[in-house]
Amino acid sequence: MENKFAPETLCVQAGWTPKNGEPRVLPIYQSTTFKYDSSEQMARLFDLKDSGYFYTRLQNPTNDAVASKIAALEGGVAAMLTSSGQAANFFAVFNICEAGDHIVSATSIYGGTYNLFGVTMKKMGIECTFVDEDASEEEIAKAFRPNTKLMFGETLSNPGVKVLDIEKFARIAHAHGVPLIVDNTFATPINCRPFEWGADIVTHSTTKYMDGHATNVGGCIVDSGNFDWEAHAEKFPGLCLPDESYHGLTYTKAFGKGAFITKATSQLMRDLGSIQAPMNAFLLNMGLETLHLRMPQHCRNAQTVAEWLEKQAQVAWVNYPGLKSNPYYELGQKYLPNGSCGVLSFGLKGGRDVAIRFMDHLRMIAIVTHVADARTCILHPASHTHRQLTDEQLLAAGIAPDLMRLSVGIENANDIIADLEQAMKA
């Protein structure tokens, strides 16, 4: 379906357009393999001369339909589903980089991604320099090296909910001849479309708002098709020079604006195999059909809860970009005028011990290692998701020891507040 339709229509209609007599609802192609009538047909698929399906590790019709829907929502040219958001970020970076390369990333990103870039990929010979996303363009530019291949940030950081100045990051990246990758998980394309602000590639943990019901883990990479790889061919040999593992095929010449996703599929998914299961893609599609309905409710509830928290004597601080007192309020109005997300962070007077005691007295709000679904939940990152980081790294990532990440669901806002209130009094 063309991207000219409104997001609400794309959520419901994009990706799967049944022909006469075909199922109205996207089918689950629960098959590992696909039959062809001749050896030549199969050979042309393996040579990437024809499009089609032969093995689900590489492509599957259910997955491709859902990927197409997400690409349409983001305004991209192509997309690929992965088995998790972590896999999406890894593939997006590794599709460009190899040993000896360097990347620049915002410091305030999800702890798992911070560890991926700062520890795991370093073992693979890919170095990362983390920068304060709020620093000046001149200061951030100092992090770039001749071997820098990309820049990375999150539209809304997890868990700090900082708003990324996408235009600023895009200017810096493009001035150095590299693409900007933006993780758009928290905002979703309902509230922000980073391509419209200069980003080149978008990633998602579809596990979060896109699925919205905590039923399946998944990820997605979307390419805008806007970055000119061949204009900087010396930086991107994997895309602009012949791939010996594919009979000397050159992705940019053979696939044009589809080069990035085709390479990620035919090379990385072929070799690393982090495919999303078709059943998970089906469940993800169900979630996407109501994404445009759920996101406004998440934002309304979060705004109400944030305003209530800000007035409580026991609360030391509240961080939500919808609050006028928030340092990211203006950036939020620019990039996220219809609302940011349902995630906020706050701390209670008394620090870490008080936060833990408060959480243990919650009744409806669950303590879970998850965020951004229909149910309100809470987490203490310093004790849970980010416990692998040192205190110095926590502070550098904008995570105070008393920080609690509250993911506000789509229940009645008064019931959410009532649970918070009774836990504070307990």
Side-chain angles (χ1 to χ4, degrees):
M1 176 171 285
E2 296 180 36
N3 297 353
K4 66 180 181 181
F5 289 95
E8 296 87 346
T9 303
L10 294 173
C11 279
V12 178
Q13 295 276 359
W16 173 250
T17 305
K19 300 180 179 65
N20 188 48
E22 289 186 335
R24 183 66 187 91
V25 175
L26 173 67
I28 306 169
Y29 283 82
Q30 196 63 47
S31 178
T32 61
T33 191
F34 302 83
K35 174 187 175 294
Y36 289 88
D37 292 333
S38 73
S39 176
E40 174 61 21
Q41 287 177 306
M42 185 70 81
R44 290 184 65 81
L45 292 171
F46 271 94
D47 284 344
L48 302 182
K49 293 178 180 177
D50 285 347
S51 61
Y53 303 97
F54 48 88
Y55 197 61
T56 281
R57 188 177 82 240
L58 286 147
Q59 285 180 292
N60 176 282
T62 306
N63 292 30
D64 281 2
V66 182
S68 294
K69 175 175 285 189
I70 297 172
L73 283 166
E74 286 287 8
V77 296
M80 180 182 77
L81 296 188
T82 60
S83 58
S84 67
Q86 280 291 89
N89 282 334
F90 173 64
F91 275 30
V93 172
F94 200 54
N95 202 36
I96 301 171
C97 298
E98 57 188 43
D101 286 341
H102 173 255
I103 67 175
V104 175
S105 172
T107 298
S108 297
I109 57 174
Y110 168 58
T113 310
Y114 191 101
N115 201 67
L116 171 68
F117 292 168
V119 179
T120 302
M121 295 194 80
K122 186 176 182 179
K123 294 176 183 177
M124 303 169 70
I126 299 168
E127 285 193 71
C128 179
T129 298
F130 293 98
V131 296
D132 178 0
E133 59 267 40
D134 298 327
S136 68
E137 294 189 33
E138 293 74 21
E139 190 65 28
I140 294 172
K142 293 177 183 177
F144 283 76
R145 307 173 186 174
N147 62 335
T148 302
K149 296 299 176 70
L150 61 92
M151 196 174 193
F152 183 92
E154 294 177 352
T155 309
L156 290 161
S157 66
N158 178 7
V161 207
K162 291 184 176 182
V163 181
L164 182 70
D165 191 339
I166 302 172
E167 282 192 316
K168 180 177 81 172
F169 260 47
R171 279 195 303 271
I172 299 168
H174 297 159
H176 291 84
V178 302
L180 171 61
I181 301 177
V182 173
D183 185 326
N184 198 34
T185 296
F186 272 8
T188 80
I190 299 302
N191 288 342
C192 183
R193 302 207 324 170
F195 294 154
E196 296 175 357
W197 300 101
D200 301 290
I201 296 157
V202 158
T203 60
H204 284 277
S205 170
T206 61
T207 316
K208 310 303 190 298
Y209 286 120
M210 284 189 165
D211 166 52
H213 302 86
T215 58
N216 74 90
V217 175
C220 187
I221 308 169
V222 188
D223 183 19
S224 68
N226 294 332
F227 191 80
D228 189 347
W229 305 104
E230 292 204 329
H232 311 279
E234 73 286 351
K235 281 184 174 288
F236 308 106
L239 284 155
C240 302
L241 292 180
D243 179 2
E244 296 308 318
S245 72
Y246 252 111
H247 318 295
L249 177 145
T250 300
Y251 293 100
T252 51
K253 288 182 170 56
F255 301 103
K257 289 182 178 294
F260 182 86
I261 294 296
T262 302
K263 178 178 181 292
T265 301
S266 60
Q267 192 181 86
L268 298 188
M269 197 61 80
R270 175 196 65 193
D271 295 344
L272 301 174
S274 296
I275 193 69
Q276 187 168 141
M279 182 67 196
N280 279 10
F282 174 82
L283 292 171
L284 169 59
N285 189 60
M286 297 283 281
L288 286 167
E289 288 180 352
T290 60
L291 181 64
H292 63 292
L293 300 175
R294 290 182 285 106
M295 286 308 294
Q297 179 70 1
H298 280 291
C299 294
R300 283 191 296 268
N301 278 357
Q303 186 71 31
T304 300
V305 170
E307 290 174 1
W308 179 84
L309 284 168
E310 202 171 36
K311 296 173 184 174
Q312 305 311 303
Q314 304 99 311
V315 175
W317 57 271
V318 185
N319 182 29
Y320 186 66
L323 295 174
K324 291 184 179 180
S325 60
N326 188 273
Y328 295 94
Y329 178 77
E330 293 301 327
L331 278 178
Q333 294 302 298
K334 174 181 177 178
Y335 293 112
L336 305 141
N338 298 320
S340 55
C341 65
V343 180
L344 59 88
S345 57
F346 71 103
L348 295 177
K349 293 174 182 177
R352 183 189 292 238
D353 292 341
V354 172
I356 292 171
R357 187 167 65 249
F358 161 78
M359 289 170 57
D360 287 346
H361 282 90
L362 291 166
R363 296 169 182 166
M364 182 187 77
I365 300 169
I367 302 171
V368 300
T369 310
H370 189 51
V371 67
D373 72 42
R375 305 162 192 85
T376 300
C377 57
I378 197 166
L379 191 76
H380 185 231
S383 298
H384 306 142
T385 55
H386 291 63
R387 67 181 297 116
Q388 76 272 22
L389 302 184
T390 65
D391 285 347
E392 291 76 15
Q393 287 174 325
L394 283 169
L395 291 172
I399 301 167
D402 64 339
L403 183 150
M404 287 176 284
R405 182 186 69 185
L406 180 66
S407 178
V408 182
I410 58 175
E411 307 96 341
N412 183 281
N414 292 331
D415 291 335
I416 298 169
I417 289 171
D419 196 26
L420 294 169
E421 187 172 28
Q422 66 81 23
M424 285 183 192
K425 292 177 179 178

